[in-house]
Amino acid sequence: MVVGVLALALAAGVPGASAGTSAPACPAAWNAGWQHLANVVKAPVYCPTWMPNPLDARIGGDWQDIYSVGKDRSYLVSFLYHGEGASGDVHVNFRGYPGRTTIPRCKTVILTGTKTLRGTKPCFADSAGVQTAPGIRATVYRVNQDADQWHILLAWRHAGSLYTVSEHRIAPYTDSQIATNLDRLLRSLVLVRPQG
Amino acid sequence: MRFTRRRFLGGAVAASLGGAGVYELVDRFTAAPARQPRPAVALPPEQHVIDLGLVESEGVPVVVPPLHHEVLTATLATADPAAAQQGLERALADLDDRYSLDAAGLGVTVAWGLPYFERYVPEQAKLHLPFDHRAGKPALLPARRFPSDPAGTILERNDVAILLRSDSRAHIDVARKALFDDLPYFSITSVRRGFAGGGFAGKQSLPKKMALAAGIPGADLIPDTSELFLGFTSTQKAGLGPRLIANHETLGFVDVRGGYFRGGTHMHLSHLDEDVAAWYLLFDFDERVLTTFRPGLTNVKRGAQTVPQGPKDVATQAETAAAFKRTGRFGHSASIQTTSRLLHDVVGPDGTLYPKGTAVPQRADFNTLDNPFAWSATPDADKMQKAPSAGLHFVVFNPSSDDFARNRLAMDGVLPDGTKLAVGPRSRAQGFNSVLTTTHRQNFLVPPRRHRSFPLAEL
């Protein structure tokens, strides 16, 4: 399976990929879910037009893992391929924080004997450079919390909101392939605006 | 010639390398450090002392370790150590004549394990082995596991370990041949190789280059100029014991009895596997600082690699316990410093003043890509793997096994007064420990130079 995944990733006909390098619109098969999300959070959301093999980005589809919208309209949409045995995972998260641009803080819990110390820390930390795509200037974060733990995450601001995309650094993709995937994901993003 | 991960894994590089395997890349990636020529001096009575140069890193004096390291462990292939004593000493003396005792030349340290003393010279050992009266135990104890060690940590029983250190791989090759290939006295049980330094000049340090070439997960996350895989400079002068402090006799708590082992020391040897990816993906810079040094350390510039650890920066036991109560964490350095630094001024037998806060252990650890060793006589038992892995061969000189154990226990939150900081053995709250896995341990005695060859066998 691993070999198959990697071989397909290198092939031109990756399922879900948009033609060429332009990202004109959210793919028709995926658009309904992303449009619904934009409507629910009452803010633009970013739809990918490319996903690392074997994933697609159809909300409600075979690869969707987490779909969560908070009371503050922040959302997490996650797509996961869980490989057999120890062959690895392909896990991509999309987040949005409508109406806020600050890095959120995540809860921490430290157990010391019978005592529990609770605190918070930035959900995205250890910035390591900038990656750009048309209309996006994203900061790369290496140390991330909760569903983004072990992921490399790109975060950027748009129209008063914070957005992120991240991918788990784990086989079958190599570290450099994951960096390439994230660059390609970032370049594939298109805005889907709320309707109605 | 440029090495990419794909080429390395594809075997192109491995096929082009000689006996030293991946470590031949060390000399392709970096030149030997520039060192001041040293005047010829008489060899010191100690085997573990080697003169190394200093550089300044981020304003802190830092010792520049030898580039290449190798430890060979062995059992005896002779039943008559007394008859072998002169032959080994001649070979060692030849190496002394051939190479200067510094990093440009060669450092040779011959250390003997408890099995040697018990099996070959038991009666003499009863009379002469140093005794740690602070611990109420012999200065050389069998290896033990510590709270953060996995149950599978192998406690070894080698007769001897020989540590070879040099900027020149060729010097180490000559020494290995002279001591093992050309003499019939030893059966090698393991070969452990690695490298240190190479991180104080240039755009990318040796550990990062080696990790990248070997395809270590997380290698790209290692800071570019890092001295070690885990990112912080470990050889700062103030963090290493001065010249003679690790001798059995210097601090006064080890009785060298008749004096046979005066000028000797104790050596602990272990191998630790390091989860580089976890260290850089789960711990942000601030957390890496507080868990490596101490909680509450807020004045560390982002990206700093050399954090001062002078006598004034040492954490006391009370401070460490209080910080733990407040934050649920203790720093690696802070906890160890409760036992590894002097609590008061000490004057050594030669009149040298060791001020309060001085470090006692003399570390000679080095990064490795061995998994866990470069070679093993018992590959199944040692769980040898072909794929390289980031790790550390930890070599440290202390006055006794108990002194080392006190430091290692403190690293797990067991402070010298018995206070146990309540944190799980592999808890993330232990920071450093949670990304380290100890695979092997053993204690050794390092006799003074005059008795380095089959000690006590002549008696």
Side-chain angles (χ1 to χ4, degrees):
Chain A
M1 187 64 207
V2 178
V3 173
V5 167
L6 291 174
L8 280 169
L10 296 171
V14 178
S18 62
T21 54
S22 62
C26 189
W30 306 349
N31 187 58
W34 291 94
Q35 185 62 63
H36 178 72
L37 177 64
N39 295 347
V40 168
V41 302
K42 298 179 177 64
V45 300
Y46 282 89
C47 165
T49 60
W50 176 87
M51 286 287 277
N53 195 50
L55 300 181
D56 64 29
R58 190 161 72 84
I59 294 172
D62 290 345
W63 305 113
Q64 188 210 295
D65 182 34
I66 303 170
Y67 181 87
S68 163
V69 178
K71 287 177 184 171
D72 62 353
R73 298 186 291 141
S74 66
Y75 66 85
L76 164 62
V77 181
S78 166
F79 299 91
L80 171 67
Y81 157 79
H82 187 57
E84 293 169 15
S87 64
D89 293 342
V90 183
H91 187 196
V92 174
N93 292 338
F94 296 91
R95 289 181 184 272
Y97 299 87
R100 68 173 291 177
T101 56
T102 53
I103 302 286
R105 293 189 73 82
C106 287
K107 289 177 184 169
T108 58
V109 176
I110 298 175
L111 302 173
T112 60
T114 56
K115 208 170 152 191
T116 302
L117 295 169
R118 297 179 191 280
T120 65
K121 66 185 308 174
C123 295
F124 321 130
D126 267 24
S127 59
V130 168
Q131 237 167 282
T132 58
I136 296 175
R137 182 180 166 79
T139 303
V140 182
Y141 290 99
R142 287 173 167 173
V143 181
N144 305 298
Q145 305 300 318
D146 298 342
D148 294 305
Q149 200 169 56
W150 291 99
H151 286 220
I152 298 294
L153 180 141
L154 310 180
W156 67 97
R157 295 175 177 89
H158 172 76
S161 298
L162 181 70
Y163 296 90
T164 74
V165 59
S166 73
E167 183 174 353
H168 193 165
R169 270 178 66 123
I170 190 171
Y173 288 112
T174 64
D175 296 347
S176 62
Q177 283 174 321
I178 285 160
T180 304
N181 286 351
L182 280 165
D183 183 55
R184 195 165 175 187
L185 272 164
L186 195 72
R187 291 176 187 282
S188 84
L189 296 174
V190 293
L191 272 174
V192 176
R193 298 181 194 282
Q195 293 174 342
Chain B
M1 191 170 185
R2 188 167 165 268
F3 299 103
T4 63
R5 178 182 175 172
R6 185 177 302 277
R7 289 187 64 192
F8 180 83
L9 294 176
V13 173
S16 74
L17 298 174
V22 67
Y23 302 107
E24 287 197 5
L25 292 175
V26 171
D27 293 326
R28 302 188 193 186
F29 284 153
T30 191
R35 299 187 188 269
Q36 297 284 340
R38 291 176 62 253
V41 290
L43 293 172
E46 293 78 14
Q47 280 196 79
H48 58 290
V49 169
I50 180 169
D51 287 317
L52 302 169
L54 289 176
V55 294
E56 201 163 274
S57 170
E58 299 173 46
V60 178
V62 169
V63 172
V64 182
L67 211 48
H68 296 276
H69 290 66
E70 185 163 313
V71 177
L72 297 107
T73 60
T75 52
L76 263 55
T78 172
D80 187 359
Q85 200 174 44
Q86 285 192 5
L88 176 61
E89 178 51 38
R90 263 196 307 273
L92 290 164
D94 285 348
L95 292 170
D96 290 342
D97 291 343
R98 186 165 180 176
Y99 301 113
S100 56
L101 179 59
D102 53 26
L106 177 71
V108 181
T109 306
V110 188
W112 299 86
L114 202 52
Y116 165 78
F117 293 108
E118 289 174 341
R119 205 175 301 153
Y120 295 98
V121 286
E123 295 310 314
Q124 302 95 311
K126 278 181 200 162
L127 287 173
H128 293 281
L129 282 188
F131 190 82
D132 181 340
H133 59 75
R134 183 180 68 177
K137 297 172 184 172
L140 177 62
L141 298 171
R144 52 164 290 183
R145 294 186 188 87
F146 295 93
S148 64
D149 285 346
T153 301
I154 295 168
L155 304 179
E156 297 183 273
R157 289 188 54 80
N158 294 295
D159 286 329
V160 64
I162 299 186
L163 167 66
L164 305 171
R165 298 182 271 181
S166 177
D167 287 341
S168 166
R169 174 86 243 156
H171 295 182
I172 288 177
D173 290 344
V174 167
R176 185 190 331 102
K177 182 175 182 299
L179 301 177
F180 292 93
D181 298 351
D182 297 349
L183 294 177
Y185 308 141
F186 301 121
S187 294
I188 297 175
T189 53
S190 74
V191 180
R192 311 172 192 207
R193 294 191 174 122
F195 48 89
F200 304 112
K203 289 181 179 173
Q204 199 173 61
S205 68
L206 178 64
K208 177 150 187 170
K209 285 177 181 168
M210 293 293 288
L212 284 170
I216 298 299
D220 59 313
L221 307 173
I222 297 170
D224 277 344
T225 54
S226 174
E227 186 195 29
L228 293 168
F229 292 142
L230 297 187
F232 296 108
T233 306
S234 110
T235 60
Q236 59 180 281
K237 186 169 181 281
L240 300 175
R243 195 174 171 84
L244 304 184
I245 198 168
N247 284 22
H248 294 307
E249 68 277 7
T250 298
L251 296 179
F253 59 82
V254 174
D255 177 3
V256 291
R257 304 167 85 183
Y260 187 96
F261 286 97
R262 187 180 304 281
T265 187
H266 172 278
M267 181 176 98
H268 181 81
L269 172 68
S270 53
H271 169 263
L272 292 78
D273 199 63
E274 298 180 343
D275 190 341
V276 171
W279 181 236
Y280 290 109
L281 290 174
L282 299 183
F283 296 83
D284 62 32
F285 178 76
D286 290 343
E287 195 174 356
R288 292 200 298 273
V289 167
L290 69 86
T291 195
T292 302
F293 301 100
R294 61 183 162 87
L297 199 61
T298 55
N299 58 346
V300 178
K301 189 180 157 195
R302 192 172 171 74
Q305 290 168 13
T306 306
V307 178
Q309 293 295 294
K312 289 178 184 170
D313 304 303
V314 171
T316 65
Q317 185 167 310
E319 286 167 345
T320 301
F324 178 73
K325 198 173 175 185
R326 197 171 63 251
T327 65
R329 294 173 185 279
F330 55 89
H332 173 78
S333 295
S335 60
I336 291 178
Q337 284 165 356
T338 61
T339 64
S340 70
R341 300 297 184 104
L342 293 180
L343 296 173
H344 48 77
D345 294 355
V346 175
V347 178
D350 62 354
T352 301
L353 170 67
Y354 299 99
K356 176 185 174 182
T358 301
V360 177
Q362 289 179 341
R363 284 182 292 105
D365 48 303
F366 51 100
N367 269 149
T368 185
L369 295 167
D370 292 351
N371 191 6
F373 304 146
W375 182 86
S376 166
T378 52
D380 290 341
D382 284 325
K383 297 175 184 149
M384 290 285 288
Q385 304 285 319
K386 282 185 180 169
S389 181
L392 188 80
H393 288 302
F394 189 75
V395 179
V396 64
F397 303 108
N398 288 75
S400 68
S401 293
D402 177 74
D403 194 57
F404 166 75
R406 286 171 187 243
N407 296 345
R408 186 58 188 78
L409 283 166
M411 179 176 157
D412 282 347
V414 182
L415 302 185
D417 68 351
T419 300
K420 289 185 182 172
L421 307 181
V423 61
R426 309 285 303 161
S427 162
R428 180 191 169 97
Q430 286 209 6
F432 226 67
N433 285 0
S434 70
V435 301
L436 305 178
T437 304
T438 307
T439 67
H440 293 73
R441 292 192 180 281
Q442 191 175 353
N443 294 323
F444 297 87
L445 211 66
V446 180
R449 191 175 302 278
R450 64 185 180 278
H451 294 309
R452 61 188 169 177
S453 176
F454 298 99
L456 301 172
E458 77 280 11
L459 299 181

PDB file of all heavy atoms in Angstrom, chain A residues 21-47:
ATOM      1  N   THR A  21      -1.642  24.889 -12.648  1.00  0.00           N
ATOM      2  CA  THR A  21      -1.279  25.460 -11.360  1.00  0.00           C
ATOM      3  C   THR A  21      -2.289  26.492 -10.867  1.00  0.00           C
ATOM      4  O   THR A  21      -2.237  26.902  -9.716  1.00  0.00           O
ATOM      5  CB  THR A  21       0.094  26.132 -11.447  1.00  0.00           C
ATOM      6  OG1 THR A  21       0.049  27.062 -12.535  1.00  0.00           O
ATOM      7  CG2 THR A  21       1.187  25.120 -11.687  1.00  0.00           C
ATOM      8  N   SER A  22      -3.208  26.920 -11.700  1.00  0.00           N
ATOM      9  CA  SER A  22      -4.187  27.896 -11.235  1.00  0.00           C
ATOM     10  C   SER A  22      -5.241  27.171 -10.407  1.00  0.00           C
ATOM     11  O   SER A  22      -5.452  25.973 -10.559  1.00  0.00           O
ATOM     12  CB  SER A  22      -4.840  28.603 -12.425  1.00  0.00           C
ATOM     13  OG  SER A  22      -5.528  27.649 -13.204  1.00  0.00           O
ATOM     14  N   ALA A  23      -5.890  27.893  -9.515  1.00  0.00           N
ATOM     15  CA  ALA A  23      -6.889  27.289  -8.652  1.00  0.00           C
ATOM     16  C   ALA A  23      -8.167  28.102  -8.774  1.00  0.00           C
ATOM     17  O   ALA A  23      -8.495  28.901  -7.897  1.00  0.00           O
ATOM     18  CB  ALA A  23      -6.373  27.274  -7.225  1.00  0.00           C
ATOM     19  N   PRO A  24      -8.872  27.909  -9.825  1.00  0.00           N
ATOM     20  CA  PRO A  24      -9.979  28.819 -10.115  1.00  0.00           C
ATOM     21  C   PRO A  24     -11.183  28.655  -9.213  1.00  0.00           C
ATOM     22  O   PRO A  24     -11.831  29.634  -8.859  1.00  0.00           O
ATOM     23  CB  PRO A  24     -10.340  28.492 -11.568  1.00  0.00           C
ATOM     24  CG  PRO A  24      -9.903  27.072 -11.760  1.00  0.00           C
ATOM     25  CD  PRO A  24      -8.725  26.871 -10.875  1.00  0.00           C
ATOM     26  N   ALA A  25     -11.498  27.433  -8.839  1.00  0.00           N
ATOM     27  CA  ALA A  25     -12.715  27.226  -8.060  1.00  0.00           C
ATOM     28  C   ALA A  25     -12.623  25.941  -7.285  1.00  0.00           C
ATOM     29  O   ALA A  25     -11.851  25.041  -7.629  1.00  0.00           O
ATOM     30  CB  ALA A  25     -13.912  27.161  -9.014  1.00  0.00           C
ATOM     31  N   CYS A  26     -13.394  25.876  -6.221  1.00  0.00           N
ATOM     32  CA  CYS A  26     -13.471  24.638  -5.438  1.00  0.00           C
ATOM     33  C   CYS A  26     -14.043  23.550  -6.350  1.00  0.00           C
ATOM     34  O   CYS A  26     -15.057  23.773  -7.028  1.00  0.00           O
ATOM     35  CB  CYS A  26     -14.387  24.874  -4.239  1.00  0.00           C
ATOM     36  SG  CYS A  26     -14.397  23.546  -3.031  1.00  0.00           S
ATOM     37  N   PRO A  27     -13.387  22.361  -6.402  1.00  0.00           N
ATOM     38  CA  PRO A  27     -13.887  21.311  -7.292  1.00  0.00           C
ATOM     39  C   PRO A  27     -15.365  21.022  -7.046  1.00  0.00           C
ATOM     40  O   PRO A  27     -15.831  21.018  -5.903  1.00  0.00           O
ATOM     41  CB  PRO A  27     -13.025  20.112  -6.930  1.00  0.00           C
ATOM     42  CG  PRO A  27     -11.766  20.706  -6.409  1.00  0.00           C
ATOM     43  CD  PRO A  27     -12.175  21.943  -5.685  1.00  0.00           C
ATOM     44  N   ALA A  28     -16.064  20.759  -8.116  1.00  0.00           N
ATOM     45  CA  ALA A  28     -17.517  20.603  -8.037  1.00  0.00           C
ATOM     46  C   ALA A  28     -17.922  19.533  -7.029  1.00  0.00           C
ATOM     47  O   ALA A  28     -18.881  19.707  -6.273  1.00  0.00           O
ATOM     48  CB  ALA A  28     -18.046  20.258  -9.425  1.00  0.00           C
ATOM     49  N   ALA A  29     -17.160  18.442  -7.007  1.00  0.00           N
ATOM     50  CA  ALA A  29     -17.533  17.338  -6.111  1.00  0.00           C
ATOM     51  C   ALA A  29     -17.356  17.705  -4.642  1.00  0.00           C
ATOM     52  O   ALA A  29     -17.917  17.052  -3.760  1.00  0.00           O
ATOM     53  CB  ALA A  29     -16.702  16.105  -6.441  1.00  0.00           C
ATOM     54  N   TRP A  30     -16.541  18.698  -4.376  1.00  0.00           N
ATOM     55  CA  TRP A  30     -16.245  19.062  -2.987  1.00  0.00           C
ATOM     56  C   TRP A  30     -16.953  20.350  -2.562  1.00  0.00           C
ATOM     57  O   TRP A  30     -17.003  20.689  -1.401  1.00  0.00           O
ATOM     58  CB  TRP A  30     -14.738  19.287  -2.796  1.00  0.00           C
ATOM     59  CG  TRP A  30     -13.876  18.144  -3.243  1.00  0.00           C
ATOM     60  CD1 TRP A  30     -14.276  16.883  -3.595  1.00  0.00           C
ATOM     61  CD2 TRP A  30     -12.450  18.164  -3.385  1.00  0.00           C
ATOM     62  NE1 TRP A  30     -13.196  16.116  -3.952  1.00  0.00           N
ATOM     63  CE2 TRP A  30     -12.061  16.873  -3.830  1.00  0.00           C
ATOM     64  CE3 TRP A  30     -11.471  19.126  -3.179  1.00  0.00           C
ATOM     65  CZ2 TRP A  30     -10.732  16.546  -4.076  1.00  0.00           C
ATOM     66  CZ3 TRP A  30     -10.145  18.801  -3.409  1.00  0.00           C
ATOM     67  CH2 TRP A  30      -9.775  17.511  -3.864  1.00  0.00           C
ATOM     68  N   ASN A  31     -17.443  21.095  -3.523  1.00  0.00           N
ATOM     69  CA  ASN A  31     -17.885  22.462  -3.261  1.00  0.00           C
ATOM     70  C   ASN A  31     -19.042  22.542  -2.272  1.00  0.00           C
ATOM     71  O   ASN A  31     -19.077  23.432  -1.426  1.00  0.00           O
ATOM     72  CB  ASN A  31     -18.274  23.143  -4.585  1.00  0.00           C
ATOM     73  CG  ASN A  31     -18.563  24.617  -4.369  1.00  0.00           C
ATOM     74  OD1 ASN A  31     -17.700  25.340  -3.893  1.00  0.00           O
ATOM     75  ND2 ASN A  31     -19.786  25.050  -4.679  1.00  0.00           N
ATOM     76  N   ALA A  32     -19.969  21.606  -2.372  1.00  0.00           N
ATOM     77  CA  ALA A  32     -21.168  21.717  -1.535  1.00  0.00           C
ATOM     78  C   ALA A  32     -20.802  21.759  -0.054  1.00  0.00           C
ATOM     79  O   ALA A  32     -21.329  22.586   0.712  1.00  0.00           O
ATOM     80  CB  ALA A  32     -22.100  20.550  -1.832  1.00  0.00           C
ATOM     81  N   GLY A  33     -19.907  20.888   0.350  1.00  0.00           N
ATOM     82  CA  GLY A  33     -19.515  20.830   1.760  1.00  0.00           C
ATOM     83  C   GLY A  33     -18.837  22.111   2.221  1.00  0.00           C
ATOM     84  O   GLY A  33     -19.108  22.626   3.314  1.00  0.00           O
ATOM     85  N   TRP A  34     -17.932  22.619   1.405  1.00  0.00           N
ATOM     86  CA  TRP A  34     -17.204  23.832   1.785  1.00  0.00           C
ATOM     87  C   TRP A  34     -18.135  25.049   1.754  1.00  0.00           C
ATOM     88  O   TRP A  34     -18.022  25.946   2.582  1.00  0.00           O
ATOM     89  CB  TRP A  34     -15.999  24.035   0.871  1.00  0.00           C
ATOM     90  CG  TRP A  34     -14.946  22.981   1.118  1.00  0.00           C
ATOM     91  CD1 TRP A  34     -14.795  21.815   0.441  1.00  0.00           C
ATOM     92  CD2 TRP A  34     -13.962  22.962   2.166  1.00  0.00           C
ATOM     93  NE1 TRP A  34     -13.755  21.062   0.977  1.00  0.00           N
ATOM     94  CE2 TRP A  34     -13.231  21.747   2.033  1.00  0.00           C
ATOM     95  CE3 TRP A  34     -13.621  23.826   3.196  1.00  0.00           C
ATOM     96  CZ2 TRP A  34     -12.186  21.405   2.905  1.00  0.00           C
ATOM     97  CZ3 TRP A  34     -12.574  23.499   4.058  1.00  0.00           C
ATOM     98  CH2 TRP A  34     -11.876  22.291   3.904  1.00  0.00           C
ATOM     99  N   GLN A  35     -19.059  25.040   0.809  1.00  0.00           N
ATOM    100  CA  GLN A  35     -20.017  26.141   0.763  1.00  0.00           C
ATOM    101  C   GLN A  35     -20.900  26.128   2.015  1.00  0.00           C
ATOM    102  O   GLN A  35     -21.154  27.162   2.627  1.00  0.00           O
ATOM    103  CB  GLN A  35     -20.907  26.025  -0.495  1.00  0.00           C
ATOM    104  CG  GLN A  35     -21.866  27.197  -0.689  1.00  0.00           C
ATOM    105  CD  GLN A  35     -21.114  28.500  -0.878  1.00  0.00           C
ATOM    106  OE1 GLN A  35     -20.381  28.666  -1.845  1.00  0.00           O
ATOM    107  NE2 GLN A  35     -21.262  29.429   0.067  1.00  0.00           N
ATOM    108  N   HIS A  36     -21.311  24.936   2.414  1.00  0.00           N
ATOM    109  CA  HIS A  36     -22.129  24.810   3.613  1.00  0.00           C
ATOM    110  C   HIS A  36     -21.351  25.309   4.835  1.00  0.00           C
ATOM    111  O   HIS A  36     -21.901  26.029   5.680  1.00  0.00           O
ATOM    112  CB  HIS A  36     -22.554  23.353   3.796  1.00  0.00           C
ATOM    113  CG  HIS A  36     -23.370  23.118   5.031  1.00  0.00           C
ATOM    114  ND1 HIS A  36     -24.676  23.538   5.161  1.00  0.00           N
ATOM    115  CD2 HIS A  36     -23.055  22.535   6.224  1.00  0.00           C
ATOM    116  CE1 HIS A  36     -25.141  23.223   6.356  1.00  0.00           C
ATOM    117  NE2 HIS A  36     -24.158  22.602   7.021  1.00  0.00           N
ATOM    118  N   LEU A  37     -20.074  24.932   4.890  1.00  0.00           N
ATOM    119  CA  LEU A  37     -19.243  25.374   6.019  1.00  0.00           C
ATOM    120  C   LEU A  37     -19.149  26.897   6.045  1.00  0.00           C
ATOM    121  O   LEU A  37     -19.302  27.525   7.106  1.00  0.00           O
ATOM    122  CB  LEU A  37     -17.838  24.754   5.915  1.00  0.00           C
ATOM    123  CG  LEU A  37     -16.842  25.185   6.985  1.00  0.00           C
ATOM    124  CD1 LEU A  37     -17.283  24.742   8.377  1.00  0.00           C
ATOM    125  CD2 LEU A  37     -15.440  24.620   6.691  1.00  0.00           C
ATOM    126  N   ALA A  38     -18.904  27.502   4.883  1.00  0.00           N
ATOM    127  CA  ALA A  38     -18.812  28.974   4.827  1.00  0.00           C
ATOM    128  C   ALA A  38     -20.116  29.613   5.293  1.00  0.00           C
ATOM    129  O   ALA A  38     -20.111  30.626   6.019  1.00  0.00           O
ATOM    130  CB  ALA A  38     -18.476  29.410   3.400  1.00  0.00           C
ATOM    131  N   ASN A  39     -21.212  28.997   4.923  1.00  0.00           N
ATOM    132  CA  ASN A  39     -22.505  29.543   5.333  1.00  0.00           C
ATOM    133  C   ASN A  39     -22.699  29.416   6.841  1.00  0.00           C
ATOM    134  O   ASN A  39     -23.209  30.333   7.497  1.00  0.00           O
ATOM    135  CB  ASN A  39     -23.640  28.812   4.607  1.00  0.00           C
ATOM    136  CG  ASN A  39     -23.603  29.045   3.107  1.00  0.00           C
ATOM    137  OD1 ASN A  39     -22.891  29.926   2.626  1.00  0.00           O
ATOM    138  ND2 ASN A  39     -24.348  28.239   2.353  1.00  0.00           N
ATOM    139  N   VAL A  40     -22.271  28.302   7.385  1.00  0.00           N
ATOM    140  CA  VAL A  40     -22.453  28.071   8.825  1.00  0.00           C
ATOM    141  C   VAL A  40     -21.598  29.036   9.644  1.00  0.00           C
ATOM    142  O   VAL A  40     -22.056  29.615  10.627  1.00  0.00           O
ATOM    143  CB  VAL A  40     -22.111  26.604   9.178  1.00  0.00           C
ATOM    144  CG1 VAL A  40     -22.003  26.412  10.692  1.00  0.00           C
ATOM    145  CG2 VAL A  40     -23.157  25.672   8.605  1.00  0.00           C
ATOM    146  N   VAL A  41     -20.350  29.225   9.229  1.00  0.00           N
ATOM    147  CA  VAL A  41     -19.454  30.090  10.027  1.00  0.00           C
ATOM    148  C   VAL A  41     -19.580  31.561   9.608  1.00  0.00           C
ATOM    149  O   VAL A  41     -18.954  32.436  10.207  1.00  0.00           O
ATOM    150  CB  VAL A  41     -17.981  29.634   9.946  1.00  0.00           C
ATOM    151  CG1 VAL A  41     -17.829  28.194  10.416  1.00  0.00           C
ATOM    152  CG2 VAL A  41     -17.403  29.801   8.550  1.00  0.00           C
ATOM    153  N   LYS A  42     -20.387  31.820   8.597  1.00  0.00           N
ATOM    154  CA  LYS A  42     -20.662  33.184   8.136  1.00  0.00           C
ATOM    155  C   LYS A  42     -19.367  33.939   7.821  1.00  0.00           C
ATOM    156  O   LYS A  42     -19.190  35.110   8.189  1.00  0.00           O
ATOM    157  CB  LYS A  42     -21.486  33.966   9.179  1.00  0.00           C
ATOM    158  CG  LYS A  42     -22.861  33.339   9.451  1.00  0.00           C
ATOM    159  CD  LYS A  42     -23.603  34.140  10.508  1.00  0.00           C
ATOM    160  CE  LYS A  42     -24.998  33.612  10.772  1.00  0.00           C
ATOM    161  NZ  LYS A  42     -25.046  32.269  11.336  1.00  0.00           N
ATOM    162  N   ALA A  43     -18.457  33.237   7.178  1.00  0.00           N
ATOM    163  CA  ALA A  43     -17.168  33.833   6.803  1.00  0.00           C
ATOM    164  C   ALA A  43     -16.596  33.027   5.645  1.00  0.00           C
ATOM    165  O   ALA A  43     -16.964  31.852   5.461  1.00  0.00           O
ATOM    166  CB  ALA A  43     -16.209  33.791   7.993  1.00  0.00           C
ATOM    167  N   PRO A  44     -15.700  33.624   4.878  1.00  0.00           N
ATOM    168  CA  PRO A  44     -15.064  32.840   3.817  1.00  0.00           C
ATOM    169  C   PRO A  44     -14.269  31.669   4.401  1.00  0.00           C
ATOM    170  O   PRO A  44     -13.714  31.781   5.501  1.00  0.00           O
ATOM    171  CB  PRO A  44     -14.116  33.848   3.137  1.00  0.00           C
ATOM    172  CG  PRO A  44     -14.584  35.182   3.594  1.00  0.00           C
ATOM    173  CD  PRO A  44     -15.203  34.995   4.941  1.00  0.00           C
ATOM    174  N   VAL A  45     -14.248  30.573   3.690  1.00  0.00           N
ATOM    175  CA  VAL A  45     -13.396  29.443   4.064  1.00  0.00           C
ATOM    176  C   VAL A  45     -12.534  29.102   2.852  1.00  0.00           C
ATOM    177  O   VAL A  45     -12.888  29.439   1.718  1.00  0.00           O
ATOM    178  CB  VAL A  45     -14.214  28.207   4.516  1.00  0.00           C
ATOM    179  CG1 VAL A  45     -15.079  28.531   5.720  1.00  0.00           C
ATOM    180  CG2 VAL A  45     -15.065  27.660   3.374  1.00  0.00           C
ATOM    181  N   TYR A  46     -11.416  28.437   3.114  1.00  0.00           N
ATOM    182  CA  TYR A  46     -10.517  28.050   2.021  1.00  0.00           C
ATOM    183  C   TYR A  46     -10.759  26.591   1.649  1.00  0.00           C
ATOM    184  O   TYR A  46     -10.642  25.703   2.496  1.00  0.00           O
ATOM    185  CB  TYR A  46      -9.064  28.241   2.440  1.00  0.00           C
ATOM    186  CG  TYR A  46      -8.602  29.677   2.381  1.00  0.00           C
ATOM    187  CD1 TYR A  46      -8.749  30.525   3.479  1.00  0.00           C
ATOM    188  CD2 TYR A  46      -8.014  30.195   1.230  1.00  0.00           C
ATOM    189  CE1 TYR A  46      -8.324  31.847   3.433  1.00  0.00           C
ATOM    190  CE2 TYR A  46      -7.580  31.515   1.176  1.00  0.00           C
ATOM    191  CZ  TYR A  46      -7.742  32.335   2.274  1.00  0.00           C
ATOM    192  OH  TYR A  46      -7.322  33.642   2.222  1.00  0.00           O
ATOM    193  N   CYS A  47     -11.078  26.375   0.392  1.00  0.00           N
ATOM    194  CA  CYS A  47     -11.263  25.012  -0.131  1.00  0.00           C
ATOM    195  C   CYS A  47      -9.996  24.628  -0.911  1.00  0.00           C
ATOM    196  O   CYS A  47      -9.524  25.399  -1.746  1.00  0.00           O
ATOM    197  CB  CYS A  47     -12.479  24.999  -1.057  1.00  0.00           C
ATOM    198  SG  CYS A  47     -12.589  23.519  -2.103  1.00  0.00           S
TER     199      CYS A  47
END
